[in-house]
Amino acid sequence: MQHRVIASPVLAGLVALGLLASAGAQATMYRYTDENGQLVIGNTIPQEATKRGYEILSDNGRVVKTIPRALTAEEIAAREAARQAEEERQRQLEAQQELDRQLLKRFSHPDQAIRALRRKIQEMNSLIQLKRGNINVISGQLDNEQSRAADMERAGREIPEATLYRIRRLEAQIREVEREISAQQQDIESVRKAYEEDVLRLEEITGEKRTIPLNPESENADPETTEGAQ
């Protein structure tokens, strides 16, 4: 018993020494740059040094892990801006892909879009011609009313209010139809621009080139006749 009692403290001491040696061998080492720009290796690292970034070393001096420096407020803001820009780019890309899918449902070749453009503009020009015909009719009625009013004035008669009202109404109708024609002409340009963009996009996504002129000399020409003349 005494042997064990005497031996136990010795054994405990040896075990303790072994644990300390093992702990020392496994102690974490750091490599960092101090405030003077000097490279330092130690088993501790100042708090300020961690902001500049550091490396964790193994017991044989190899780099186990690299901790990057802390970002500045400006860098954090720039990173966030870049993230948002990338998200916006992805949204635009997805939106364009959806537009392309819809466009390909309408047309499989740029020439189809050009033919559709010509038909659309021809329809719109036909409506304008009808409105111009309406203006001619109204202008004839206005001329008659104005002629009667002029005859009354030459005869020294007072022009009835009803006649003056009809003249004003006919003049207003002409102005209104002229505004409609102007608006439709603007619509034609908008339609032309939209279709031309579609044609260029179709060329890009299909790899096919148009064989029909995009801007023919006369939009009122028959599409098939114009195509056959190419």
Side-chain angles (χ1 to χ4, degrees):
M1 294 293 295
Q2 289 180 346
H3 178 73
R4 285 194 296 271
V5 171
I6 295 172
S8 294
V10 174
L11 180 60
L14 291 174
V15 172
L17 288 174
L19 290 175
L20 289 174
S22 176
Q26 296 178 2
T28 302
M29 300 296 291
Y30 303 95
R31 182 164 60 194
Y32 60 92
T33 303
D34 65 13
E35 64 275 9
N36 298 317
Q38 298 296 317
L39 198 61
V40 179
I41 296 178
N43 56 6
T44 61
I45 179 171
Q47 181 65 30
E48 284 299 317
T50 61
K51 298 178 181 179
R52 294 189 290 270
Y54 59 95
E55 296 172 329
I56 301 175
L57 307 179
S58 66
D59 54 1
N60 59 4
R62 291 188 177 184
V63 176
V64 176
K65 186 176 183 181
T66 299
I67 308 300
R69 66 177 177 81
L71 297 178
T72 64
E74 291 78 8
E75 289 171 330
I76 292 174
R79 185 174 64 179
E80 177 63 17
R83 184 189 64 79
Q84 293 179 359
E86 176 61 21
E87 289 180 353
E88 178 61 24
R89 189 188 71 81
Q90 286 296 328
R91 283 194 293 269
Q92 291 178 356
L93 178 60
E94 291 172 2
Q96 184 62 60
Q97 290 173 342
E98 178 59 26
L99 289 174
D100 289 345
R101 283 193 291 270
Q102 295 300 324
L103 180 58
L104 289 171
K105 287 181 179 180
R106 296 167 58 202
F107 311 112
S108 60
H109 192 281
D111 287 352
Q112 291 181 342
I114 295 175
R115 293 190 186 97
L117 168 62
R118 292 185 181 185
R119 289 193 296 269
K120 184 67 175 178
I121 290 181
Q122 193 171 33
E123 291 171 1
M124 298 175 78
N125 278 329
S126 296
L127 290 175
I128 289 176
Q129 291 303 318
L130 286 175
K131 290 182 181 295
R132 284 175 176 161
N134 291 338
I135 288 179
N136 290 335
V137 172
I138 298 171
S139 294
Q141 296 173 353
L142 178 60
D143 288 342
N144 291 335
E145 293 293 338
Q146 289 175 334
S147 294
R148 281 195 291 269
D151 291 342
M152 291 178 187
E153 283 185 328
R154 284 192 292 269
R157 297 166 51 193
E158 184 177 354
I159 302 174
E161 183 60 33
T163 300
L164 294 175
Y165 172 76
R166 285 194 295 271
I167 290 173
R168 290 193 296 269
R169 181 172 58 82
L170 291 169
E171 290 174 338
Q173 288 177 347
I174 291 174
R175 289 193 298 271
E176 177 61 25
V177 176
E178 287 175 341
R179 282 194 293 269
E180 291 176 1
I181 290 174
S182 178
Q184 286 186 317
Q185 288 172 334
Q186 293 178 0
D187 289 343
I188 286 176
E189 292 308 309
S190 297
V191 167
R192 190 196 308 277
K193 182 178 179 181
Y195 270 85
E196 288 177 354
E197 290 176 354
D198 286 346
V199 169
L200 295 177
R201 185 60 183 170
L202 282 165
E203 288 185 326
E204 183 175 350
I205 61 180
T206 65
E208 301 285 347
K209 294 297 182 181
R210 60 185 181 273
T211 63
I212 304 174
L214 191 57
N215 296 308
E217 293 181 0
S218 174
E219 295 295 351
N220 289 320
D222 181 75
E224 298 301 327
T225 302
T226 305
E227 182 181 356
Q230 301 306 316

